[in-house]
């Protein structure tokens, strides 16, 4: 015999659970899936005369309707639920046309799988990441452990351990006019390190969204190759560009030699090009320089279009920003506008040899490193394009300082990189911290403190 089979039906006090809300009018309870609309009539439960029901705390989002809503009183006064006959539609109280499709979808949707009652941590989404446009899955919306999930200790002698709140970075990007200026060195697919560095500067929040108001952020190029998630890096930069613009700031990027290499590998593949030292191909050069198959597999037209439109040189607050520590930019024009226009035109013409020549020139490095000739090379760029300091990426700081290590991350000694490297009589600032060789991914605010 089933337990309780001979007992009389219990008389229940009317609560919010006794009043069913039509699907189109439901507001989901935070942390609980929406219950699918019933297709069978529940067992009849006698209900005591309805007393006025107190409106639930709106902060709990309990599926109640605001006072005065036309459905509010109708729900309390309608007759007990009757299951619809096969030739009838489920019970609805004259739903507005806009909600009809939503109501039908909810009646047909399968019930969601229940969330484990004892789970104390969100379930990660393998595809989710703060760097992606789609946020990581964190279990049912708003789920948090409650006293039903965790043991309650009421002993007076329980040891109380004070926990200091996590230190938050100071807010940036407030006030009128242009916000503070930040620059980011070479990322090379190290998405996790990038997210961590941006959070440390207060530029993004815990969900990876723009949090810096009207701040200005410049990436110096080289987003892909060598690291684990180059396309994820590009997706993050593209998304932050839109979010920063909406907040009154901006997030922009320069073209690096690895952007040119990836564009060439996608467009021209194994097409032979004149390398100046024999025959070469973009595909072979891309692989030799750390090209990652998973990046190529995920590369889309939107990524190619975005990279092709990046500028090569820009001036900000007296700083001349460019990717490579080379004077080859002078070969493309005497003004910043001319350089950028000529680079874009070369990519638009889609000539493999011309794009290869552009890539080869922007791959040159160390023009500012020599103690005698380096400062003069920097001055030549500054005299032509303006500014008081050149800020560049491309050449890892451990190379410039003579530390042991390799660009591929091999070697026994971990390079020590504490911050940007200022050299060439103080006229040049190197920003590639050597993240590919176990160095550091740099995100710094300009101007540098004296």
């Amino acid at each position: 015999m089933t337990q309780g089979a001979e007992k009389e039906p219990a008389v229940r006090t009317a609560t919010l659970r006794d009043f069913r809300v039509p699907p189109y009018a439901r507001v989901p309870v935070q942390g609980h899936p929406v219950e699918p609309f019933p297709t069978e009539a529940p067992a009849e439960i006698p209900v005591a005369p309805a007393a006025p029901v107190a409106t639930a705390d709106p902060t709990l989002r309990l599926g109640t309707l605001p006072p005065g809503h036309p459905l509010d009183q109708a729900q309390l006064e309608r007759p007990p639920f009757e299951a619809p006959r096969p030739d009838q539609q489920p019970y609805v109280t004259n739903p507005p046309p806009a909600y009809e499709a939503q109501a039908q979808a909810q009646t047909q949707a399968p019930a969601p799988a229940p969330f484990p009652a004892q789970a104390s941590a969100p379930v990660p989404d393998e595809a989710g990441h703060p760097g992606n446009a789609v946020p990581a899955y964190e279990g049912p919306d708003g789920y948090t452990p409650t006293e039903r999930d965790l043991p309650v200790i009421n002993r007076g002698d329980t040891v109380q351990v004070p926990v200091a709140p996590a230190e938050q970075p100071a807010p940036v990007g407030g006030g009128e006019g242009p916000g503070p200026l930040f620059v980011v060195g070479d990322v090379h697919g190290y998405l996790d390190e990038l997210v961590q560095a941006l959070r440390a500067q207060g530029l993004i929040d815990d969900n990876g969204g723009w949090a810096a108001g009207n701040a200005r952020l410049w990436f110096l190029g080289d987003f892909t190759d060598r690291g684990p998630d180059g396309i994820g890096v590009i997706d993050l930069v593209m998304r932050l560009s839109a979010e920063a613009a909406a907040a009154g700031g901006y997030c922009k990027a320069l073209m690096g030699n690895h952007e040119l290499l990836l564009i060439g590998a996608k467009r021209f593949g194994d097409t032979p090009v004149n390398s100046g030292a024999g025959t070469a191909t973009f595909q072979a050069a891309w692989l030799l320089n750390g090209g990652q198959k998973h990046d190529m597999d995920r590369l889309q037209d939107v990524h190619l279009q975005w990279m092709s439109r990046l500028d090569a040189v820009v001036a900000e607050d007296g700083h001349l920003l460019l990717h490579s520590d080379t004077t080859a930019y002078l070969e493309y024009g005497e003004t910043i506008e001319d350089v950028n226009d000529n680079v874009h035109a070369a990519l638009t013409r889609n000539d493999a040899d011309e794009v290869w020549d552009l890539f080869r020139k922007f791959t040159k490095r160390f023009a500012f490193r020599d103690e005698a000739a380096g400062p003069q090379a920097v001055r030549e760029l500054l005299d032509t394009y303006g500014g008081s300091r050149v800020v560049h990426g491309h050449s890892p700081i451990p190379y410039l300082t003579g530390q042991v290590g390799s660009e591929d991350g091999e070697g026994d000694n971990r390079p020590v990189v504490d911050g940007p490297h200022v050299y060439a009589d103080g006229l040049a600032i190197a920003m590639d911290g050597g993240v590919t060789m176990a160095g550091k991914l740099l995100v710094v605010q300009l101007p540098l403190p004296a």
Side-chain angles (χ1 to χ4, degrees):
M1 177 179 295
T2 304
Q3 184 177 0
E6 299 180 352
K7 296 182 180 179
E8 294 294 328
V11 178
R12 297 175 55 189
T13 303
T15 67
L16 289 176
R17 295 189 183 90
D18 295 315
F19 303 107
R20 297 187 177 272
V21 182
Y24 60 85
R26 294 183 183 178
V27 178
V29 179
Q30 183 174 1
H32 296 274
V34 176
E35 184 183 33
F37 194 82
T39 57
E40 297 182 3
E44 224 177 88
I45 301 176
V47 179
V53 180
T55 302
D57 183 351
T59 61
L60 296 179
R61 299 166 57 188
L62 281 179
T64 56
L65 298 172
H69 192 285
L71 295 177
D72 190 30
Q73 188 64 27
Q75 290 182 54
L76 301 177
E77 297 176 351
R78 73 177 178 84
F81 176 86
E82 293 184 4
R85 297 192 302 272
D87 59 338
Q88 290 182 327
Q89 295 294 326
Y91 176 82
V92 226
T93 307
N94 298 324
Y99 292 117
E100 291 179 354
Q102 179 180 353
Q104 183 178 3
Q106 287 194 359
T107 60
Q108 297 175 354
F115 192 75
Q118 296 298 323
S120 58
V123 179
D125 183 354
E126 294 180 356
H129 195 285
N132 297 332
V134 181
Y137 174 77
E138 297 179 353
D141 292 343
Y143 175 81
T144 52
T146 66
E147 62 182 2
R148 288 172 294 178
D149 301 301
L150 303 175
V152 179
I153 301 176
N154 294 317
R155 292 177 56 189
D157 59 349
T158 301
V159 177
Q160 301 296 320
V161 181
V163 178
E167 183 177 352
Q168 298 293 329
V172 297
E176 300 293 332
L181 174 64
F182 293 82
V183 290
V184 184
D186 300 35
V187 183
H188 282 299
Y190 285 85
L191 179 59
D192 290 338
E193 288 78 359
L194 173 61
V195 168
Q196 182 180 2
L198 293 174
R199 281 177 179 164
Q201 290 286 3
L203 295 168
I204 63 173
D205 56 27
D206 290 341
N207 295 319
W210 181 260
N214 64 348
R216 298 167 292 161
L217 179 62
W218 274 99
F219 285 80
L220 299 180
D222 279 8
F223 303 105
T224 66
D225 303 337
R226 299 198 174 96
D229 194 0
I231 299 303
V233 171
I234 293 178
D235 285 337
L236 172 62
V237 178
M238 292 174 64
R239 178 170 59 79
L240 290 180
S241 297
E243 295 177 358
Y250 62 71
C251 169
K252 299 183 180 182
L254 295 178
M255 182 178 294
N257 62 306
H258 280 263
E259 279 68 66
L260 293 168
L261 187 57
L262 184 58
I263 292 171
K266 181 67 173 180
R267 287 186 182 177
F268 308 116
D270 289 325
T271 301
V273 294
N274 184 8
S275 68
T279 302
T281 68
F282 271 104
Q283 178 73 13
W286 174 70
L287 290 172
L288 288 172
N289 284 274
Q292 302 294 311
K293 184 180 183 299
H294 54 261
D295 282 343
M296 185 64 74
D297 291 342
R298 295 163 57 202
L299 184 64
Q300 301 177 21
D301 287 343
V302 64
H303 301 129
L304 289 170
Q305 293 170 6
W306 181 79
M307 289 188 292
S308 298
R309 296 168 182 166
L310 298 177
D311 286 338
V313 187
V314 71
E316 287 281 2
D317 297 354
H319 297 86
L320 185 65
L321 308 182
L322 39 81
H323 174 71
S324 305
D325 46 330
T326 178
T327 58
Y329 295 93
L330 296 169
E331 301 180 35
Y332 288 88
E334 296 182 354
T335 67
I336 291 176
E337 292 76 13
D338 288 344
V339 173
N340 294 329
D341 288 345
N342 289 329
V343 169
H344 295 155
L347 291 172
T348 301
R349 284 189 289 269
N350 209 34
D351 180 88
D353 286 326
E354 187 176 14
V355 176
W356 178 269
D357 189 57
L358 183 63
F359 158 70
R360 181 179 60 84
K361 289 176 179 176
F362 285 1
T363 303
K364 294 180 179 179
R365 63 173 88 241
F366 301 145
F368 316 144
R369 186 174 62 173
D370 185 79
E371 292 185 3
Q376 181 56 38
V378 179
R379 290 190 183 95
E380 189 175 3
L381 286 170
L382 296 175
D383 291 343
T384 303
Y385 302 128
S388 58
R389 264 183 169 178
V390 164
V391 183
H392 70 85
H394 189 49
S395 292
I397 291 174
Y399 278 11
L400 295 170
T401 58
Q403 295 186 54
V404 178
S406 72
E407 199 169 3
D408 294 328
E410 299 176 354
D412 297 331
N413 297 330
R414 179 187 179 96
V416 178
V417 178
D418 296 324
H421 176 54
V422 181
Y423 66 117
D425 291 349
L427 297 175
I429 301 175
M431 282 291 302
D432 184 351
V435 66
T436 64
M437 47 201 298
K440 186 176 183 180
L441 201 159
L442 296 178
V443 179
V444 302
Q445 183 175 351
L446 297 178
L448 295 180

